[in-house]
Amino acid sequence: MHLTNSTTSVTVRQRRLLRDASLALGCAALFCLLATLVTGRWHPLYQFDQDWTSELHDYARDHRIWTAAVQTLSDIGGPVTMRALLGIAAAWLWLIGARVLAGWVAAQALVGWGAQWALKLAVGRQRPAFSDPVAHAGGPAFPSGHAMASAITCAVLVGLLWYRIQRRGRTAACAVAAATVLTIGWTRTALGVHWPSDVLAGWLAAGVVLGVVTAAIELWRPGALARDVRRVNWRTRPRVQRVIVPYDRTPRPDGPLGDGASSDGPSDRDAPADDPLSADPLNAGPRNHDPLGDGPPAGAESDAPGRDDPADRPDAPVR
C-alpha cells in the first residue's frame, strides 16, 4: 500500500514537472524565434507591425473619447496594478500558513518584473513613433510589460481559484482571464505605444516565467505546492457547527384513548429525577440527554419502543 501511494505521488510530480517544463521550453523557443525575426527585420512581420499600428493610430487620433477610454483601460491593467494584486494574494497566503504557495506567487511577480527589463534591454527595440502621438511610454518596446504582467497575474489568480470552484466557475474564470489579457494587450497597440509583435512577445515571456518558477519550486520543495493548496482549501472551507438541543417529552393525553388513567390524576412522568420509577433503564441517564444530537426537537412526542418509562407499561414490575 505504501509503495503504491509513493509510486503514484512520484508519477504525479513527474507529470507536473513535465507540464511546467514543456510550457517554459515551448514559450522560450517561440520567443527566441520571434526575437530573431524582430531583430533581423523580417519583412512580412515588419510590414504587419507597421500597417496594424498605423491604422489603429489614425483611428485613435480621430476619436478622442474612444482613445480616453482605451487609455483608462490600459492604466487600470498596468504592471503596477497587476503586481499589487499578486502582492495582496501572497500576503494573504502567508498569513493563513501557505508559505510555499505565497512564495510562488511573490516569485512570479518579482521574476516577471526582472525578466521583463532584462529582455527589453537585451533586444532594445524602439517604440512606434508618430508626429502626433495619442499616448506616450518610455523604455524599449520588446516585450510589452503590460501584456507580460497581465498574463502572469491572471494565470496565477486562476491557478489559485482552480481547486476552489466547480467546472462552470473554472470556465468563467478562464474566460474572464483571457478577455482581460487580450484587452490589455490590444490597448497597448491601439494607443500606438507598442507593436503587435511586442504584445505577442510579452505573452510568450509570461509563459516562460510561469513554467520556470513553478518547476523550480517543485524541484526545491517537492509536493509543497500541492500541500499548500490543500491547506488553503481546508482553511477557507465553510465551517458547520453541530448543535445538540435537549428536549423534554410532553405527557400523552390521558383518558380512554391515552396511556394514563385520568386527566386529573398524577402521572409517573412528573416524578422527580431521583425517583427510581422515573429513570429509563434503557438509556442509563436522563431522558433529555441525546448523545448523538439526532433526537426530536423540544416538545415532540416519541412512540419508539424501548423509550417509554417502565411505569407507563401496564405489565411493568414495580421495584
Side-chain angles (χ1 to χ4, degrees):
M1 179 176 180
H2 294 288
L3 292 177
T4 303
N5 291 340
S6 176
T7 304
T8 303
S9 300
V10 170
T11 303
V12 170
R13 287 198 207 105
Q14 289 178 348
R15 190 182 304 117
R16 290 173 179 170
L17 283 174
L18 180 60
R19 177 197 60 193
D20 299 332
S22 300
L23 175 64
L25 292 176
C27 291
L30 293 176
F31 181 89
C32 292
L33 175 61
L34 184 60
T36 301
L37 297 177
V38 167
T39 55
R41 298 178 68 88
W42 188 50
H43 182 71
L45 179 60
Y46 177 81
Q47 193 64 39
F48 173 80
D49 285 342
Q50 292 287 341
D51 295 343
W52 186 270
T53 306
S54 299
E55 291 180 4
L56 289 176
H57 174 263
D58 293 341
Y59 186 87
R61 182 188 57 195
D62 298 336
H63 301 81
R64 294 294 181 178
I65 298 178
W66 181 84
T67 304
V70 174
Q71 182 67 62
T72 302
L73 290 175
S74 180
D75 294 339
I76 293 175
V80 175
T81 304
M82 293 298 166
R83 295 189 183 107
L85 292 176
L86 292 181
I88 294 172
W92 176 73
L93 291 170
W94 184 273
L95 290 176
I96 67 174
R99 304 296 173 83
V100 177
L101 198 58
W104 174 74
V105 175
Q108 296 287 359
L110 295 176
V111 174
W113 176 77
Q116 166 195 323
W117 282 103
L119 295 172
K120 281 179 176 289
L121 296 176
V123 178
R125 188 185 194 185
Q126 297 296 322
R127 294 178 182 270
F130 301 97
S131 58
D132 52 348
V134 296
H136 298 276
F142 189 92
S144 171
H146 281 66
M148 187 173 177
S150 63
I152 292 175
T153 301
C154 290
V156 169
L157 294 180
V158 170
L160 294 177
L161 293 174
W162 190 260
Y163 296 100
R164 297 291 304 159
I165 53 181
Q166 301 299 325
R167 178 175 299 179
R168 291 184 179 179
R170 293 173 180 178
T171 303
C174 292
V176 171
T180 301
V181 172
L182 292 173
T183 301
I184 294 175
W186 174 78
T187 59
R188 304 308 290 167
T189 305
L191 293 172
V193 293
H194 274 294
W195 309 103
S197 55
D198 298 338
V199 175
L200 179 58
W203 295 337
L204 293 175
V208 176
V209 172
L210 289 168
V212 168
V213 172
T214 307
I217 292 182
E218 195 65 40
L219 289 173
W220 173 51
R221 297 286 299 274
L225 287 175
R227 287 192 296 269
D228 275 0
V229 168
R230 292 193 294 269
R231 182 176 290 110
V232 171
N233 293 342
W234 183 84
R235 289 293 183 89
T236 57
R237 68 180 180 180
R239 297 294 193 269
V240 178
Q241 184 177 5
R242 192 174 188 180
V243 180
I244 300 177
V245 180
Y247 70 96
D248 293 325
R249 292 178 298 172
T250 57
R252 296 174 182 171
D254 296 326
L257 300 179
D259 294 335
S262 174
S263 60
D264 297 330
S267 174
D268 291 334
R269 295 187 183 89
D270 298 330
D274 56 350
D275 189 7
L277 296 179
S278 64
D280 191 346
L282 300 179
N283 291 331
R287 287 191 302 271
N288 61 352
H289 175 67
D290 189 357
L292 297 179
D294 296 329
E301 295 182 358
S302 175
D303 295 331
R307 297 299 297 254
D308 296 334
D309 293 336
D312 292 339
R313 306 192 191 110
D315 57 344
V318 179
R319 298 179 183 176

